[in-house]
Amino acid sequence: MLLEFDGTFIFATLSFIVFVLIMNVILYRPITKIMEERQKFYDKNKSTVLESKRKAEEVLENKEKEILDAKLKASDILQTTQNKIKENRENTLKNKKEEVLAKIKSNNAALDNDKKQAKEDLKKEVETYVKMTVSKVLDSEIQDINIDSSLLQNAMEGER
């Protein structure tokens, strides 16, 4: 059995070549073109997606950095405000303390003056009572009497 080459073989070969050429024009080229366009579309979208993803990560990173900066600024502002409030409170307390001490000194001075005045008044009253008593005891009016102020002083201090 040998292979015979007759007209049908040549016709089949030519038919096959024409079929391949027709299929190439009708089917393979459009399919190849569609596949190339699809690949270009895929590549373009892939690069767009990658670029968008990179930008999103960059925005997220910037946002986190801004949030961190805002937190640091807020912390600094809070610390500064707390320090100012503490300083104001200390200054206010210091001023109030000085005012109270000044009032205490003033009141103490006024009390000392009142005490001295009361002692003087008491001394005059004692002298008056002594003069009245001596006058009644002696049955004569005494104009000038010298009372030892040290005795009066000792008597007043003894009452304490």
Side-chain angles (χ1 to χ4, degrees), residues 97-113:
K97 187 177 181 180
E98 289 173 359
E99 286 178 24
V100 167
L101 289 175
K103 283 183 181 181
I104 289 173
K105 278 186 177 181
S106 172
N107 288 343
N108 283 343
L111 286 174
D112 285 342
N113 287 338

Side-chain angles (χ1 to χ4, degrees), residues 19-31:
F19 175 75
V20 169
L21 289 176
I22 291 173
M23 288 302 286
N24 191 22
V25 170
I26 293 174
L27 186 65
Y28 296 132
R29 280 187 190 164
I31 289 177

